[in-house]
């Protein structure tokens, strides 16, 4: 259980919520925390000031991760958080010697399919077929460092 002082530090001063939290900074300089449990987490969360801002749901196989859900809460979109969070996953997967990340582009209502697909492609993903919404990223081909 979190002490009152720890709660104040997390909520007011954006201190890490746990020992397993890793800093994440957006292109605009906003600071978030990424947290997960275990060596092959099924969920990875991103938050700020003790509140959740987004999540990923993952399924692991021998050399591959299936990105089942990728969600950034609406009030945290369009500031670079999604890109920073995705890049965190790519780096994390590389460290785990994963060769490929697969995903399905199925944006929630209100988000444009073509815009979301273009965002994934900008971040190194490729379409499995011209007309489909399945995408993948070969980590051997992914850039080591990203540029804005």
């Amino acid at each position: 259980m979190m002490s009152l002082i720890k709660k104040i530090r997390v909520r007011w001063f954006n201190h890490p919520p746990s020992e397993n939290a890793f800093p994440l900074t957006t292109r605009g300089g906003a600071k978030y925390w990424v947290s997960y449990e275990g060596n092959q987490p099924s969920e990875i969360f991103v938050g700020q000031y003790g509140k959740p801002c987004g999540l990923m749901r993952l399924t692991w196989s021998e050399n591959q991760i299936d990105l089942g859900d990728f969600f950034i809460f609406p009030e945290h979109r369009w500031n670079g958080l999604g890109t920073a969070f995705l890049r965190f996953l790519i780096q994390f997967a590389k460290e785990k010697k994963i060769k490929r990340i697969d995903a399905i582009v199925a944006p929630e209502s209100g988000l444009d399919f073509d815009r979301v697909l273009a965002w994934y492609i900008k971040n190194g993903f490729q379409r499995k077929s011209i007309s489909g919404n399945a995408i993948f990223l070969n980590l051997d081909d992914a850039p080591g460092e990203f540029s804005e």
Side-chain angles (χ1 to χ4, degrees):
M1 184 165 198
M2 196 182 297
S3 72
L4 178 60
I5 292 173
K6 176 72 173 173
K7 286 180 184 178
I8 290 170
R9 287 180 178 157
V10 168
R11 290 194 183 248
W12 289 4
F13 302 107
N14 201 23
H15 280 241
S18 71
E19 293 178 10
N20 296 333
F22 303 91
L24 184 73
T25 305
T26 67
R27 68 176 175 260
K31 186 176 180 182
Y32 293 84
W33 295 98
V34 174
S35 58
Y36 58 88
E37 293 182 12
N39 192 39
Q40 294 184 339
S42 60
E43 295 179 320
I44 300 177
F45 298 91
V46 64
Q48 185 181 51
Y49 296 102
K51 297 184 179 180
C53 302
L55 68 95
M56 294 179 187
R57 289 199 175 101
L58 311 172
T59 304
W60 295 74
S61 56
E62 187 174 334
N63 291 315
Q64 180 175 317
I65 294 175
D66 290 324
L67 179 56
D69 287 318
F70 182 87
F71 185 78
I72 300 296
F73 294 176
E75 61 271 21
H76 296 280
R77 292 181 186 156
W78 315 117
N79 70 354
L81 177 58
T83 300
F85 197 25
L86 182 63
R87 290 176 181 175
F88 173 87
L89 174 64
I90 292 168
Q91 187 60 42
F92 182 72
K94 284 181 173 184
E95 290 170 7
K96 300 290 183 186
K97 308 292 186 220
I98 296 296
K99 299 291 183 197
R100 181 175 160 136
I101 299 173
D102 279 15
I104 301 291
V105 178
E108 65 179 52
S109 56
L111 292 177
D112 180 77
F113 172 83
D114 292 328
R115 186 174 184 173
V116 173
L117 179 64
W119 176 79
Y120 275 106
I121 290 170
K122 177 182 174 185
N123 284 286
F125 282 78
Q126 301 172 35
R127 285 181 107 162
K128 287 185 179 180
S129 69
I130 293 173
S131 61
N133 60 351
I135 57 172
F136 68 95
L137 174 64
N138 283 323
L139 292 176
D140 292 335
D141 301 334
E145 294 294 323
F146 291 92
S147 59
E148 290 299 324

